[in-house]
Amino acid sequence: MIILKIGGSILTNKDSKTSEVDAVSLKRIASEIKKSLDSSDKELIIVHGAGSFGHPPAKKHRIGEDFDKSQYPIKRLGFCEIQNEVKKLNMYICEEFIKQGIPTIAIPASSFITAANKRITNGNLDLFKNYLHKGFVPVIYGDVVLDDDLEFCVISGDQIIQYLAVNLNPEKVILGTDVDGVYNKNPKTHDDALFFDKFSSLKDLDTLEGTTNVDVTGGMVGKIKELLYLADLGIESKIINAEVEDNIFKVLENKKVKGTVISRGN
Amino acid sequence: MIILKIGGSILTNKDSKTSEVDAVSLKRIASEIKKSLDSSDKELIIVHGAGSFGHPPAKKHRIGEDFDKSQYPIKRLGFCEIQNEVKKLNMYICEEFIKQGIPTIAIPASSFITAANKRITNGNLDLFKNYLHKGFVPVIYGDVVLDDDLEFCVISGDQIIQYLAVNLNPEKVILGTDVDGVYNKNPKTHDDALFFDKFSSLKDLDTLEGTTNVDVTGGMVGKIKELLYLADLGIESKIINAEVEDNIFKVLENKKVKGTVISRGN
């Protein structure tokens, strides 16, 4: 089984003030996945970010922060707004995937997951596994969920990857982002940025500064923390650049692709 | 707790060849529900049909019929297409409801329900109840689900009402349709059609012919069968015309509205 995350930054235009799908990227990525499914049988789960659909309303409503009880109804409505916006992005993504022949079935986190203090504590994956075994490609995405401590919280696609990987034990976890992998500095603004082929320790995090990929769910640093936790369990993951044509296809087919492997091994 | 079904025929244009929301109806119905929520506290669940979004692909892919094993991949893709189409309708509905201040949270049947031979056999409602108790308005809709006998099936909004009512024991079940209630003949084509204020027996079904509201999930006859089952459990339901302005508001507020009560009592 492979868990493939596709970053919201690849699928949407984050610079746009309104939520907007990047139709060209979406079409290309769908075709690379389809080509891989046609090349060899595999169980595949897709996780996608919320991109420009989810982040602006999540920021606006400050979901996941403490709030006064009097704010409850307005927070609740904000929660609903975010749920519907990320569903809209998911609907566009599934539409393109299905059009290209990928049997994608959406299973929103808000339908079966709950959290405590922003971490997933509960989420029965039986139906998820059932779809998977029947050859569907389950799709799940960054979403809002009920939180025992904070009432409401945002669950990033990266946290979902971690939860799925811990519980489903995939052979491979792939994160398609808008950079080649992990650098010690932002490679888009620093010519001397060093690239990590492999990343294995939280200590390495100290050398990192913000990357281009900073979002409300933590950007690259957040991603690495989730993935190091998986590495501790012996699950290796790889961050690649999904904007480079054929990278998704190649990595799904075990072909060589530039990227950063997150692993505790040597 | 009140379970309110809004028929797909009210929210979409069934005559249209492409899926199309009836924006005027949707806006009006959302405003009637909001007015009622503002008038008095209530726990409310909304169930909506699939209308012109769900029925054409369901018919095209013949989901719920026996099929040859060789047809499995194409059926599976059809299942995905239907799931995404009804999600699209749900997204438009929630968008309008949220805009008007109703805290609607979508919980798709395909995310937590499974069936055997077209009847729901499994569906944990704990999270559903959790949302409800926190003052959300859970929204669920006619959808596709995995079926132990048939692989795939369509679950109508009417069957969902029944499942929810049996498990949640609401005070009131209301079905908003495009007719005033149950007639022995189609009132749109027969001047002598008799209206039932109350309907209490399957025997009465014999006198019914097709109504205007015939769809792949069984139309009015299917509705009544689901509701008679509830009546046997002591849960009364009422079919009203949601196209008549203020009917939804009035029925939610216990005001007099023309309609057919489905009940086993006298």
Side-chain angles (χ1 to χ4, degrees), chain A residues 196 199-208 220-229 231-232 262-264:
Chain A
F196 292 87
F199 204 91
S200 58
S201 165
L202 270 169
K203 282 182 208 157
D204 300 333
L205 281 179
D206 300 338
T207 63
L208 281 179
M220 189 60 88
V221 174
K223 255 181 244 313
I224 294 168
K225 282 186 181 165
E226 304 286 357
L227 300 176
L228 280 171
Y229 181 83
D232 282 338
I262 315 286
S263 154
R264 291 291 196 190

Side-chain angles (χ1 to χ4, degrees), chain A residues 149-170:
Chain A
D149 297 314
L150 305 161
E151 292 289 353
F152 316 120
C153 74
V154 172
I155 294 292
S156 70
D158 296 321
Q159 189 184 156
I160 290 172
I161 291 176
Q162 201 225 62
Y163 183 77
L164 293 178
V166 167
N167 288 284
L168 301 176
N169 200 26

Side-chain angles (χ1 to χ4, degrees), chain B residues 44-87:
Chain B
L44 178 65
I45 295 169
I46 291 171
V47 181
H48 66 78
S52 65
F53 287 70
H55 296 303
K59 226 171 179 168
K60 182 176 126 201
H61 297 293
R62 296 182 176 183
I63 297 295
E65 293 181 22
D66 280 327
F67 60 89
D68 187 77
K69 221 178 166 182
S70 66
Q71 293 292 303
Y72 188 82
I74 186 79
K75 283 274 177 184
R76 186 173 56 201
L77 198 60
F79 181 98
C80 297
E81 191 192 322
I82 299 164
Q83 199 222 19
N84 206 49
E85 282 300 306
V86 292
K87 179 170 63 188

Side-chain angles (χ1 to χ4, degrees), chain B residues 212-243:
Chain B
T212 52
N213 200 14
V214 173
D215 60 39
V216 291
T217 52
M220 189 60 90
V221 173
K223 258 182 241 312
I224 293 167
K225 281 185 181 167
E226 304 287 356
L227 300 175
L228 280 171
Y229 181 84
L230 289 183
D232 281 337
L233 302 173
I235 302 168
E236 200 174 271
S237 52
K238 188 168 186 175
I239 299 175
I240 63 156
N241 193 338
E243 281 183 347

Side-chain angles (χ1 to χ4, degrees), chain B residues 85-241:
Chain B
E85 282 300 306
V86 292
K87 179 170 63 188
K88 190 188 287 182
L89 172 60
N90 173 260
M91 187 270 291
Y92 288 127
I93 291 171
C94 289
E95 195 164 54
E96 181 62 33
F97 277 45
I98 292 165
K99 206 168 134 192
Q100 296 206 24
I102 304 166
T104 41
I105 187 87
I107 307 175
S110 47
S111 297
F112 74 105
I113 284 175
T114 51
N117 202 16
K118 300 186 198 179
R119 299 301 299 178
I120 299 172
T121 48
N122 191 45
N124 186 320
L125 293 170
D126 289 348
L127 187 57
F128 208 95
K129 286 186 229 171
N130 209 347
Y131 279 117
L132 200 59
H133 295 159
K134 287 179 181 294
F136 285 92
V137 175
V139 178
I140 183 169
Y141 48 93
D143 204 349
V144 280
V145 303
L146 293 181
D147 189 298
D148 289 341
D149 297 314
L150 305 161
E151 293 288 355
F152 316 120
C153 76
V154 171
I155 294 291
S156 70
D158 297 320
Q159 189 184 156
I160 290 172
I161 291 175
Q162 200 225 63
Y163 183 77
L164 293 178
V166 166
N167 288 284
L168 301 175
N169 201 25
E171 291 123 46
K172 215 187 273 189
V173 174
I174 302 158
L175 280 87
T177 68
D178 61 352
V179 286
D180 287 338
V182 184
Y183 290 84
N184 68 333
K185 298 177 186 177
N186 184 342
K188 295 193 179 175
T189 50
H190 292 83
D191 285 342
D192 61 341
L194 276 175
F195 182 73
F196 292 87
D197 282 310
K198 195 166 171 181
F199 204 91
S200 58
S201 164
L202 271 168
K203 280 180 208 155
D204 300 334
L205 282 178
D206 299 338
T207 64
L208 281 178
E209 54 173 79
T211 69
T212 52
N213 200 14
V214 173
D215 60 39
V216 291
T217 52
M220 189 60 90
V221 173
K223 258 182 241 312
I224 293 167
K225 281 185 181 167
E226 304 287 356
L227 300 175
L228 280 171
Y229 181 84
L230 289 183
D232 281 337
L233 302 173
I235 302 168
E236 200 174 271
S237 52
K238 188 168 186 175
I239 299 175
I240 63 156
N241 193 338

